[in-house]
Every structure is written in structure tokens, then in C-alpha cells.
Amino acid sequence: MEIFAVDHHIWAIDHELLGLPGVGVTYVVRGEEIALIETGTALTVPQTLAGLEALGIEREAVRHILCTHIHMDHAGGAGHLAEALPNAVVYIHSSMAEHLANPAKLMASVRRAVGEEAWPLHGEMLPIAAERIRPAEHLHLDLGRDIILTAIATPGHSPDHLSYLDHKSGGLFIGDAAGLAMDRWGLAFPVTPVPAYNLEAHRSTIAMLRTLNLPRIYLTHYGPHDDVTYQLDRAAHRLDELVDLVERALADGDPDVAALAARWVPYPPDGPAGVVARSWTQMSVAGLIRYELKRRQATG
């Protein structure tokens, strides 16, 4: 577990998502009230709680837990954190609240999406009482000390995806709205997962983010980045690469998901981040294939 300062009022706890440093963080935003942004999986919660203790934050002081979207690497730890942080409420897009209250269907879907190799790294979600879940799509959260967080719709990666603007720094907690940038492992690509990925919405979101002239973005995977234009341009370029790869494979016949993923993002199979690279790239190839086939079916 590693903690690093992001701004005067923001810290990041690297909770070793999927068993590795440099893959995922929970952000801690401190005003008069304290908010966490992103939960990681059930298995990252002990590291997050240890990080709060190291920052001198009492568990009772955390009042808000914000999730960018429902996927288990972003919301899978919400139930465990809610159990450990008795005064906290959990925010997520209202269309996905039922999956926090009853996560069984979500876990089955995630297991299919990430594959059997990566599934044991996610843990089991705990249900959250409905009265502790809040809709996030219109969130305007005043934490005091001029620290305000507001939600911005950033669909594509998933239909429920939200990002959270920190008005004090001007930075945006972006989740998976554009692409990941895990520099420690040499991995940078957009994630386009099954079952609900939408290419048109993803491209529109990246274009919209460009218009905001953000001074920095806070990636869940991974960390703060001041080179916003570069990160958005790279995500768009890597997305175009994947689209071209998938379209060519579909034209040639039955596409091989694993082979296409390895061509798109080459990574040594025995490398330290091999499981993450395989799981997320194969999930992305499958997600884009599914999207394209559904689009073609709808348009005849």
C-alpha cells in the first residue's frame, strides 16, 4: 500500500488493485467532510482502510463514497467500505443502484467479462442497504473549505459512467472515461468492455473532455496527469487502432479475441502485469466486437 499527495486537499491510496501496485487508486478528498472516490475491489479494501489510518482519518469521519461506474474494479469494494465506514453513503448512477443493493447478477457478469484467470483477483461484493445508496448523476457535493465535487456524464466505457469535477483544483476524476495510463507497467489503452460498451458514446465523451480545457485529470488507472491533451489524444488514437483491428478481423471471418488483443497491446505473457494486460485487452476486443456486430445488425 502506497499513499501519495495529489493536491493540498487530495491524496491517493494505491490499494494494489488485482494484486499489483500502479494499477488502481482510491482518492481521498478532504474538506470539512471527507469523500472517497473509487473503491477498488473487495480485496483492496484492507489497503484502503490502512491508508486512511496512515492519513490520520478516523473511519467515522468518512461521509461520502463516490463510484464512477458499476464495474467491480471501481465499485466492487463499496459494500465492504460501507460496512467499515459507518457514516458513509455511496453514490453511483441511479440506473445501477440495484446492483449495489443486490450484487449477485453483477458479479456473474463481471466473471464472464474478465475471464477465469483474473476473476479470483476481484473478491466477493457485499450488498449495501438501499437507504445508504444515493443517485450520483446530478451530484453537487459541498465538502466545505471551498471544495465542491460535481458529476459530469461521461458514457461510452459503460452507459452509467460519471466523472467528478473538483472545482478547487479544476481536475477531473475521470475513471475509465477515456483510457488508462499505467506507466509503471508500460500499459496505456482505452478499455471497451462487454457487455454494454458504446463506441459512438466513447468518442463523443473524449471529444467533450477536450472542450473542458482541464488542467489535470485523475485516473483511477492510474494517478494524476497534467498532460491532459496528450492523454486524451493517445486514448483516441489507441481506440482508432482497435476499431481498425476489429473491422479487419470481422471482414476476414471469425476473429480470434486473444490473438487480436495480443496484437493490439503486446505484453510478455510472463510479465508482472500479464494477467491485467490479458484480461483487460481481451475484454476490450470482445466488447468492441460485440458492439460492432450489434450495430451492423441494427442497421441491416
Side-chain angles (χ1 to χ4, degrees):
M1 185 270 296
E2 177 187 355
I3 303 170
F4 52 94
V6 173
D7 209 313
H8 296 299
H9 60 296
I10 304 171
W11 286 259
I13 301 172
D14 183 329
H15 44 47
E16 299 184 3
L17 180 66
L18 306 185
L20 286 174
V23 174
V25 294
T26 288
Y27 289 101
V28 182
V29 185
R30 300 180 76 164
E32 292 170 3
E33 296 183 356
I34 294 170
L36 305 183
I37 299 179
E38 307 286 53
T39 75
T41 68
L43 301 182
T44 67
V45 169
Q47 288 80 261
T48 299
L49 295 175
L52 292 174
E53 183 177 3
L55 288 169
I57 297 173
E58 298 288 338
R59 294 186 181 189
E60 292 76 13
V62 179
R63 300 289 301 277
H64 313 279
I65 301 170
L66 283 61
C67 304
T68 58
H69 60 295
I70 194 60
H71 295 161
M72 280 181 68
D73 53 326
H74 297 258
H80 293 268
L81 282 174
E83 183 178 68
L85 307 172
N87 296 324
V89 294
V90 179
Y91 301 82
I92 199 161
H93 195 287
S94 59
S95 65
M96 296 294 161
E98 64 181 286
H99 294 300
L100 291 184
N102 183 5
K105 287 176 62 177
L106 173 65
M107 287 191 291
S109 176
V110 171
R111 185 169 189 165
R112 290 191 298 270
V114 303
E116 290 302 314
E117 183 182 28
W119 171 246
L121 302 174
H122 288 75
E124 296 283 325
M125 293 178 68
L126 287 182
I128 303 172
E131 60 268 20
R132 296 185 68 188
I133 304 172
R134 301 285 188 274
E137 54 264 44
H138 304 297
L139 183 68
H140 179 94
L141 183 60
D142 189 341
L143 299 177
R145 302 176 189 167
D146 297 321
I147 300 169
I148 297 171
L149 300 171
T150 56
I152 298 174
T154 48
H157 172 83
S158 65
D160 62 305
H161 198 291
L162 300 168
S163 298
Y164 298 104
L165 181 65
D166 170 50
H167 289 255
K168 192 172 185 69
S169 69
L172 188 69
F173 296 94
I174 200 173
D176 288 336
L180 57 81
M182 300 188 303
D183 297 336
R184 187 177 309 193
W185 306 115
L187 293 169
F189 55 89
V191 181
T192 63
V194 289
Y197 176 73
N198 186 303
L199 174 62
E200 183 179 359
H202 195 179
R203 283 175 162 161
S204 295
T205 284
I206 294 174
M208 180 275 293
L209 291 173
R210 288 191 176 109
T211 70
L212 297 181
N213 297 314
L214 297 163
R216 64 186 347 202
I217 50 178
Y218 306 121
L219 300 183
T220 307
H221 320 292
Y222 170 91
H225 292 266
D226 297 331
D227 55 344
V228 177
T229 298
Y230 171 74
Q231 295 295 339
L232 295 178
D233 287 350
R234 179 169 64 174
H237 176 67
R238 299 304 319 269
L239 182 58
D240 289 343
E241 289 179 342
L242 179 58
V243 170
D244 182 66
L245 199 65
V246 164
E247 288 180 346
R248 289 174 182 270
L250 289 173
D252 290 340
D254 188 27
D256 184 324
V257 169
L260 289 171
R263 285 175 57 193
W264 181 46
V265 182
Y267 193 84
D270 57 350
V275 173
V276 176
R278 283 190 296 277
S279 174
W280 289 359
T281 57
Q282 291 179 22
M283 176 173 62
S284 295
V285 170
L288 191 58
I289 289 172
R290 177 185 171 92
Y291 168 84
E292 181 60 18
L293 291 176
K294 288 179 65 178
R295 185 192 68 80
R296 293 181 184 187
Q297 185 178 34
T299 58

